[in-house]
Amino acid sequence: MASPVFSGQPRSLSSRGTVVLEAIKHAILTGALPPGRQLVETELAQQLGVSKTPVREALKTLAGAGLVTMSEYKGATVRTVDDALMEWVYDLRLLLEPEAVTRTVERGADLAPAAEALRRADAAADRAERSLANRDFHRALYAGCGNPLLVSTLDSLRDQTALISAAAWERVPTWEAEADEHREILRAAEAGSAAEAAELLRAHVCGFVERVRAGGGL
């Protein structure tokens, strides 16, 4: 495995396990570790300069987040992204996220984290950083809904959403249009217009899927 795979790994985190987890996630979301790539613990550990233990734990965590698949015979591989996965993830988001955003706005929850996530997305150096910042933007809009079960359900989709976005941008780079849509959603939310924010969010999610389909799919 070539060393540039982990050239973008974070260096400011104190926990070795967190560094390993974020480094592998970053490599997956940038495509340095492409879908279907087998993830060999010994190779990853050598590249990252750690033992196999934090790598093994990171792969388990990434499997739980939907970025890695585990097989008794093939071991760990980067999850393959396809149209079916996109449809499943975004269908569930459409069922839950607009309602969560409506409740967040109606409760007057703090939206400053959403504005900060937008700034990070604009300043992102690569697809992985931009995708993760976008993920944080969406979470900031639903985290204040007042229902922890609803939040945790949407949280479970965050990494898969980031993986789908990164894969889609490889073929159809639509992040500028999506950033404009994010700004409009935040504008409505900050104005206290719950119904408008929810409708803009719904159109935003549907628009992403439609753009991917129009571009030939994943």
Side-chain angles (χ1 to χ4, degrees), residues 133-150:
N134 285 351
R135 182 190 72 165
D136 291 344
F137 170 79
H138 281 270
R139 189 182 197 280
L141 289 177
Y142 66 69
C145 70
N147 184 330
L149 292 179
L150 180 54

Side-chain angles (χ1 to χ4, degrees), residues 99-115:
E99 176 62 24
V101 170
T102 297
R103 297 184 185 189
T104 293
V105 177
E106 289 178 342
R107 297 176 75 245
D110 181 19
L111 297 173

Side-chain angles (χ1 to χ4, degrees), residues 86 90 93-94 97-98 101 118 121 130-131 133-139 141 161 165 169 174-186 196-212:
M86 178 182 69
Y90 279 72
R93 287 184 63 194
L94 279 172
E97 198 167 338
V101 170
L118 272 183
R130 184 177 295 108
S131 187
N134 285 351
R135 182 190 72 165
D136 291 344
F137 170 79
H138 281 270
R139 189 182 197 280
L141 289 177
T161 297
S165 295
W169 292 341
T174 60
W175 56 77
E176 290 184 0
E178 291 165 35
D180 289 339
E181 292 167 1
H182 283 173
R183 280 185 274 272
E184 283 299 298
I185 295 167
L186 182 59
E196 183 185 8
E199 185 55 38
L200 287 169
L201 173 70
R202 186 175 289 105
H204 167 67
V205 173
C206 289
F208 174 84
V209 174
E210 290 169 1
R211 286 190 290 266
V212 173

Side-chain angles (χ1 to χ4, degrees), residues 40-43 45-46 50-59:
V40 181
E41 291 178 9
T42 53
E43 292 180 353
Q46 182 179 12
V50 298
S51 69
K52 290 196 298 183
T53 299
V55 171
R56 184 178 303 116
E57 293 305 311
L59 293 180

